[in-house]
Amino acid sequence: MRSPRTAILPFVMMATFPGAGAGQVITETEQLGSVDFETSCPEVTRAPFNRAVALLHHMTYEGARAAFAEIAAAHPTCAMAHWGIAMTLFQPLWPTRPSEDDLRRGWQAVERARTIRSTTPRERMFIDAVAAFFDPDRAEYWQRIAGWAEASRVLHDAYPEDLEAKAFYALSQLATAPPSGDLSHHAAAATALVDILRRQPKHPGAIHYTVHASDATGREHESMDVVQRYAETAPLNPHALHMPTHIFVRVGKWSDVIVGNRRAAEAALAHPAGDHQQWVWDEYPHAIEYLVYALLQVGDDREALESMRRLERTADLQPTFKTAFHLASIPARYALERRDWTRAAKLEPRPNPALAWDQFPWPEAVTWFARGMGSLRTGDIDAARSAEVRLQQLKRDSERLGEALFARHTEIMRLELSAWLAHSAADGEAAIRLLREAVTLEANTPKPPVTPAPTLPALELLGDLFLEMERPADALDAYESSLQIEPNRFNTLVGAARAARRNGDLARASDYYRALRDVAIIGSPREELKEAAAFLRANRSELPER
């Protein structure tokens, strides 16, 4: 595997990085944005320390850890280098949870930082903040996150004009956003970040966390100028290339999602993960899922399949929650979005047996949901009911692990499958009730950054149900409501066109078929596009384009 290419600030640096061959010098000219983190460390550490902090803000944790460790080895009295090492050992917005070894190493870094007496009061507060996470008296992950967030608030209150204190306070607000969908934490983070960007427009943390603050229903159009310039701030950093596409997905800009994640995937392969660079960084499968999702929305099934196969052929994937989620979710999406129910019914749970699947109940649940929907649609009701039972267990498993947000997403899928099982049993009233429960729960549950979108939107499924029940007006209402949240989704546009057509509203049907045609690539093999073309030809004289 190639040595990682490591990003730097806006100047050329020549240095030997961990992972390079003996005496090998790697010259980098990549940009990371602008950081000026004042420390009491020797002046010679200022540039490399700022570079390490920039990598941390870009969530390039492995590279940041190597950079901080290099400073600590060369300058043993630099306490903040040990602070930095500790900060790289947990990922507040990602679903990855630190291992016992990570917790031990983090606490050792904290203790080492605390033994250095030359620190300033401000630096000691930074160290105390990260210590709150690694405190051995806190056993549960979310207790650790809450402790770090409270200490970050205290630090920010003590130094309200300090840009780094403000950036990490904003990050902590996002990390502690409740699973109920309350957006007050997003708003608090955004307010702090606006102030940073006013004073330092290229601050990588402020730009990055602003994108996360906007990655919520109702906030997706906030700060679009900041979103669009993130990739320009760090044009070779995999996560910076990927992050704007979180928002592009929410607004249905599929071409931008495709371009951004192709670039991010290639860049991720140049940044191996692990202390010995032994893994393909989980940013690679992360970019691939967003890419596949967008390709499916434009009907580019061939490219979606090739991207999925490329990931499946990739050896040495980093064994994390993110990797597990994407290995489960991508095949599920490929089957469900194309309505290939036979493929969905045959999906195998836990596709990579080397992963610690007992720790990843939500990723496993995605496979069982797809299997259940596929089984139901192909007439195997017993298999669908078995999937429903498994989803109930996986929800309990997430709750046992203290992951309320993941449990809620599993419950949404369980409700969706249960609704369609009720429909198959001719209990339409129960089917509608269960899907409305799923709609309400989904509306009040934030989307974790690991996934581009719900496995299948509850409102879209409600529209599908109403259409099958010969209630096209209700179906159209559901589809149009879904498009307000998930714009330009291929199957929602199809459903809206069909519902309008069956409801006798040919003008609206025409609008949706045109929108579908405009979203899709030329030459897509989807039958729905042939349907759209036939309808538009047949009604061209009566329905001029509006």
Side-chain angles (χ1 to χ4, degrees):
M1 186 174 291
R2 291 174 292 174
S3 299
R5 296 178 60 81
T6 308
I8 66 166
L9 290 171
F11 49 81
V12 176
M13 176 180 290
M14 298 186 66
T16 301
F17 296 103
Q24 180 181 354
V25 174
I26 301 175
T27 302
E28 291 293 344
T29 58
E30 184 182 354
Q31 295 174 327
L32 288 177
S34 300
V35 171
D36 187 10
F37 196 130
E38 182 181 344
T39 74
S40 61
C41 298
E43 179 63 24
V44 70
T45 68
R46 183 168 184 172
F49 188 87
N50 284 337
R51 171 182 168 272
V53 173
L55 286 168
L56 178 61
H57 283 313
H58 288 301
M59 298 184 186
T60 307
Y61 294 109
E62 305 277 355
R65 189 177 313 138
F68 284 123
E70 189 171 323
I71 296 168
H75 305 278
T77 61
C78 181
M80 290 302 287
H82 299 283
W83 163 85
I85 291 170
M87 286 292 294
T88 68
L89 289 164
F90 72 109
Q91 296 89 41
L93 299 188
W94 290 1
T96 301
R97 304 296 177 243
S99 66
E100 289 299 318
D101 185 55
D102 292 331
L103 295 173
R104 177 186 57 78
R105 292 167 67 191
W107 187 243
Q108 286 177 344
V110 167
E111 290 185 313
R112 179 71 185 95
R114 283 176 164 173
T115 64
I116 298 171
R117 299 182 179 276
S118 59
T119 53
T120 66
R122 168 180 166 274
E123 289 173 331
R124 287 193 288 274
M125 291 191 76
F126 271 100
I127 294 166
D128 287 345
V130 73
F133 180 88
F134 288 101
D135 185 345
D137 291 336
R138 290 190 170 98
E140 199 267 328
Y141 173 79
W142 288 107
Q143 291 178 346
R144 294 176 182 274
I145 286 289
W148 166 71
E150 174 58 20
S152 297
R153 183 193 63 78
V154 171
L155 168 62
H156 173 248
D157 289 349
Y159 296 92
E161 299 305 311
D162 188 291
L163 298 189
E164 296 306 316
K166 195 182 292 286
F168 288 112
Y169 162 74
L171 177 62
S172 73
Q173 285 292 299
L174 295 170
T176 52
S180 63
D182 175 8
L183 297 183
S184 60
H185 284 241
H186 291 73
T191 298
L193 296 167
V194 164
D195 186 54
I196 299 175
L197 290 170
R198 177 179 58 81
R199 297 158 59 190
Q200 179 50 274
K202 293 186 177 181
H203 189 282
I207 297 174
H208 185 178
Y209 309 147
T210 294
V211 180
H212 279 289
S214 299
D215 190 13
T217 301
R219 293 191 55 86
E220 57 269 31
H221 296 285
E222 301 288 334
S223 306
M224 189 61 79
D225 59 325
V226 178
V227 170
Q228 291 175 327
R229 75 170 185 257
Y230 187 23
E232 300 169 5
T233 302
L236 294 180
N237 183 274
H239 200 60
L241 292 170
H242 161 75
M243 269 308 301
T245 70
H246 281 235
I247 309 304
F248 299 152
V249 165
R250 285 191 176 274
V251 299
K253 297 178 67 173
W254 305 125
S255 61
D256 289 338
V257 178
I258 290 166
V259 170
N261 283 291
R262 279 178 172 153
R263 293 175 65 198
E266 292 305 316
L269 291 175
H271 290 70
D275 288 341
H276 304 289
Q277 289 103 49
Q278 70 271 37
W279 305 115
V280 174
W281 190 14
D282 59 16
E283 278 292 286
Y284 176 67
H286 189 53
I288 292 296
E289 171 147 17
Y290 275 71
L291 171 62
V292 168
Y293 182 70
L295 289 168
L296 290 169
Q297 300 318 310
V298 300
D300 196 344
D301 299 341
R302 184 184 63 80
E303 284 297 323
L305 178 62
E306 177 52 35
S307 295
M308 180 173 72
R309 293 287 184 242
R310 184 183 179 194
L311 176 62
E312 292 171 349
R313 293 192 298 265
T314 302
D316 301 321
L317 293 170
Q318 191 178 13
T320 64
F321 184 110
K322 285 168 67 178
T323 294
F325 185 88
H326 300 311
L327 290 179
S329 182
I330 294 172
R333 290 194 190 281
Y334 183 74
L336 294 173
E337 294 290 341
R338 296 167 49 256
R339 303 302 195 240
D340 187 343
W341 305 118
T342 300
R343 177 187 284 267
K346 293 178 179 178
L347 289 172
E348 288 296 328
R350 303 189 172 199
N352 183 337
L355 297 174
W357 286 99
D358 287 346
Q359 299 301 309
F360 310 140
W362 178 33
E364 182 179 345
V366 172
T367 303
W368 281 103
F369 170 69
R371 276 173 62 102
M373 292 295 289
S375 297
L376 184 149
R377 290 291 195 159
T378 54
D380 191 345
I381 302 302
D382 288 341
R385 293 200 182 281
S386 295
E388 179 188 34
V389 171
R390 183 59 180 158
L391 286 170
Q392 290 172 331
Q393 180 59 55
L394 290 167
K395 175 195 172 185
R396 290 193 290 268
D397 290 347
S398 281
E399 291 171 336
R400 174 180 53 80
L401 292 170
E403 302 291 356
L405 181 58
F406 303 160
R408 288 169 74 99
H409 279 278
T410 302
E411 176 65 2
I412 291 166
M413 292 187 290
R414 200 277 304 172
L415 287 166
E416 291 172 340
L417 178 57
S418 297
W420 281 90
L421 280 166
H423 176 61
S424 73
D427 191 347
E429 184 177 334
I432 294 169
R433 174 179 54 80
L434 287 164
L435 263 180
R436 289 200 187 280
E437 285 183 38
V439 168
T440 299
L441 184 57
E442 190 170 274
N444 292 286
T445 302
K447 177 192 75 66
V450 72
T451 181
T455 303
L456 283 178
L459 274 166
E460 180 183 282
L461 284 174
L462 182 61
D464 294 345
L465 179 67
F466 280 134
L467 208 55
E468 288 205 7
M469 296 174 72
E470 300 298 335
R471 293 171 57 173
D474 291 329
L476 185 56
D477 285 344
Y479 289 130
E480 290 184 331
S481 295
S482 189
L483 287 168
Q484 292 297 310
I485 303 167
E486 308 280 350
N488 289 337
R489 266 188 56 82
F490 189 99
N491 287 320
T492 317
L493 290 170
V494 171
R498 289 173 176 171
R501 186 177 184 178
R502 293 188 196 178
N503 203 42
D505 191 341
L506 300 187
R508 250 159 128 189
S510 179
D511 287 344
Y512 283 118
Y513 278 130
R514 286 185 183 123
L516 180 68
R517 179 195 62 190
D518 293 344
V519 160
I521 62 164
I522 296 173
S524 170
R526 297 277 184 94
E527 290 297 321
E528 296 89 344
L529 292 167
K530 297 177 184 177
E531 172 189 322
F535 176 87
L536 292 171
R537 280 196 305 271
N539 294 277
R540 183 177 299 145
S541 60
E542 298 178 21
L543 297 168
E545 295 203 22
R546 294 190 292 179

